[in-house]
């Protein structure tokens, strides 16, 4: 058996079975892998699968996926499927894609994990597949369009491209999906979050490069510099600078973009908001907030970016506003019950929490906490923390909300409290080793 295994390995890597220039199937593998499975030669079968995995390419991954499915190679099937999702834009240009059956196309384009720069890629792939055999396939348009997330497309594209497509015009069901998308764009911004369907859900690809972005800050004045840490390369490198100086801003990651919200430019608290596209290495100014804010809290809830509280240069703020990326609009939502600058925010269970902060009016740090229900558009006090905390770091882990450090006037804390929404209670957990305020908090996967 070991001799057969060695011969198999040599044959796979000499190019006899798999010409490296154009990765395609040959009779060797089509016979060898099924035979290995039938004869329960697990080492041979594993070697074949590993070789096929090493040869995955946009022109062959769909064929390898089908081959793996046919011969119950579960791991190879999953690897090929993931590869197709991660290289979707190139895969849909291949002959294999154009020759897929309707079930396989629907399965691919319905995936939340597609790595695409825009939903336009999915729409164009559908049109290309149907047009490849139009007489037979045009009857499948409605089934396919069910999986295209038209509401996520720009209004201009919907009007100028989708609406004018003959394959859409000739299908009443497709027109219904187009009307749904148009309605989504015409709804008042604050109501769009209530219009939930699979077609309004953002795709969440998994293979985007893992990067950490440090934006602006003080050195010692507000700066424009932006640096990016690449975990794979283990190095920092400069990326495109901010359009303007900014420190004490709110930062979030949403829809594949980094948003720098408000802050202080060295002279004024600002309303400006900039978004960074890591693919294009480019900053773009988006709509300004309604209010000037620095030391604000920023978070994402139900696909909207929220700017919570902050300081406008003269007073702490209770106002809260939300940004809709699709319409590029900010709108006020219900204000908090208390003015809060240096406020920590976190999202748990579909609710937005504002933790502690500084009220500015009575000049005291706060132990109070409020939560925002977007459906009711209402802020409600919840249980108070055991201690006053301004500038607390806030993190979420296992559906619990952590308040880390912060200060009460000159007293900087190392204590940590955790809130359980199911019991509406705070409890102390272990102290940190150092006192900290205005610390950043995030959750990562622990390496094995």
């Amino acid at each position: 058996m070991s001799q057969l295994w060695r011969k198999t390995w040599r044959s796979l890597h000499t190019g006899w079975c798999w010409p490296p220039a154009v990765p395609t199937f040959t009779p060797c593998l089509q016979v060898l892998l099924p035979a290995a499975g039938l004869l329960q030669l697990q080492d041979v079968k594993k070697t074949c699968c590993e070789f096929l995995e090493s040869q995955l390419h946009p022109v062959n991954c769909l064929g390898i996926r089908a081959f793996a499915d046919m011969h119950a190679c579960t791991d190879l099937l999953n690897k090929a499927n993931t590869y197709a999702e991660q290289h979707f834009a190139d895969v849909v240009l291949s002959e294999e894609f154009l020759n897929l059956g309707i079930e396989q196309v629907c399965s691919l384009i319905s995936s939340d994990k597609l790595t695409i720069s825009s939903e336009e890629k999915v729409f164009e792939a559908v049109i290309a597949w149907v047009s490849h055999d139009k007489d037979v396939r045009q009857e499948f348009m409605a089934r396919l369009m069910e999986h295209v997330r038209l509401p996520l497309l720009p209004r201009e594209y919907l009007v100028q491209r989708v609406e004018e497509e003959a394959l859409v015009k000739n299908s009443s069901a497709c027109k219904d999906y187009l009307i749904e998308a148009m309605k989504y764009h015409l709804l008042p911004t604050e109501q769009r979050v209530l219009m939930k369907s699979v077609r309004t859900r953002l795709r969440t690809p998994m293979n985007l490069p893992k990067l950490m972005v440090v934006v602006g800050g003080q050195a010692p004045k507000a700066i424009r510099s932006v640096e990016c840490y690449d975990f794979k390369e283990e190095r920092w490198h400069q990326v495109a600078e901010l359009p303007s100086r900014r420190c004490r801003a709110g930062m979030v990651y949403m829809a594949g973009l980094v948003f720098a919200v408000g802050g202080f430019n060295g002279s004024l608290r600002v309303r400006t908001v900039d978004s960074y596209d890591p693919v294009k290495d480019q900053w773009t100014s988006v709509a300004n907030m309604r209010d000037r804010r620095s030391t604000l809290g920023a978070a994402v809830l139900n696909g909207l970016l929220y700017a919570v509280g902050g300081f406008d240069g003269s007073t702490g703020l209770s106002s809260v506003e939300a940004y809709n990326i699709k319409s590029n609009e900010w709108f006020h939502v219900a204000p908090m019950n208390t003015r809060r600058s240096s406020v920590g925010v976190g999202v748990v269970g579909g609710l937005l929490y504002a933790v502690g902060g500084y009220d500015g009016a009575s000049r005291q740090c706060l132990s109070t906490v409020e939560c925002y229900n977007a459906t009711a558009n209402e802020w409600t006090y919840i249980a108070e923390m055991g201690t006053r905390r301004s500038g607390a770091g806030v993190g979420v882990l296992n559906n619990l909300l952590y308040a880390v450090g912060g200060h009460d006037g000159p007293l900087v804390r190392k204590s940590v409290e955790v809130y359980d929404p199911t019991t509406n209670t705070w409890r102390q957990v272990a102290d940190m080793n150092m006192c900290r305020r205005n610390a950043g908090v995030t959750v990562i996967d622990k390496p094995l």
Side-chain angles (χ1 to χ4, degrees), residues 149-152 180 184 192-193 195-203 326:
R149 302 180 186 187
L150 292 181
L152 305 184
E180 176 193 48
Y184 183 83
R192 291 179 191 170
V193 69
M195 185 177 169
K196 292 183 178 179
S197 79
V198 67
R199 286 174 295 281
T200 62
R201 188 172 67 225
L202 293 173
R203 299 190 192 262
K326 300 180 186 70

Side-chain angles (χ1 to χ4, degrees), residues 54-240:
S54 73
Q55 297 296 302
L56 284 169
H57 186 277
V59 304
N60 68 18
C61 61
L62 297 176
I64 292 176
R65 183 180 71 170
F67 189 68
D69 189 27
M70 180 184 301
H71 299 292
C73 302
T74 305
D75 189 55
L76 178 61
L77 172 64
N78 293 334
K79 294 287 179 57
N81 194 60
T82 298
Y83 187 95
E85 292 171 341
Q86 294 178 347
H87 298 83
F88 180 82
D90 295 321
V91 168
V92 297
L93 301 177
S94 70
E95 283 295 318
E96 284 192 344
F97 174 76
L98 295 176
N99 292 322
L100 284 179
I102 179 63
E103 299 297 338
Q104 289 75 30
V105 176
C106 288
S107 174
L108 181 60
I109 67 174
S110 64
S111 171
D112 281 341
K113 303 302 180 184
L114 294 186
T115 300
I116 50 175
S117 58
S118 166
E119 194 67 20
E120 296 173 16
K121 298 289 186 183
V122 182
F123 177 77
E124 298 296 345
V126 165
I127 299 303
W129 184 84
V130 173
S131 299
H132 187 67
D133 192 358
K134 185 176 178 181
D135 291 341
V136 173
R137 295 177 175 179
Q138 59 185 344
E139 66 176 284
F140 298 127
M141 270 299 293
R143 274 189 73 185
L144 294 164
M145 291 297 288
E146 178 184 354
H147 304 295
V148 180
R149 302 180 186 187
L150 292 181
L152 305 184
L153 290 166
R155 280 179 290 188
E156 296 76 11
Y157 187 86
L158 289 171
V159 173
Q160 297 172 11
R161 176 69 179 95
V162 179
E163 189 177 22
E164 294 302 313
E165 171 57 52
L167 290 168
V168 174
K169 287 183 176 181
N170 294 333
S171 168
S172 58
C174 289
K175 289 180 182 177
D176 289 340
Y177 292 128
L178 180 59
I179 291 170
E180 176 193 48
M182 295 292 195
K183 180 180 178 182
Y184 183 83
H185 282 280
L186 291 173
L187 279 174
T189 307
E190 62 272 18
Q191 294 182 19
R192 291 179 191 170
V193 69
L194 303 178
M195 185 177 169
K196 292 183 178 179
S197 79
V198 67
R199 286 174 295 281
T200 62
R201 188 172 67 225
L202 293 173
R203 299 190 192 262
T204 54
M206 297 183 64
N207 73 320
L208 295 177
K210 302 300 182 184
L211 303 171
M212 180 167 62
V213 182
V214 177
V215 179
Q218 293 175 261
K221 296 182 179 180
I223 59 175
R224 296 175 57 198
S225 172
V226 181
E227 291 190 60
C228 187
Y229 182 72
D230 190 312
F231 288 92
K232 185 176 181 179
E233 298 178 3
E234 296 186 347
R235 70 181 183 92
W236 288 93
H237 53 92
Q238 294 282 341
V239 296

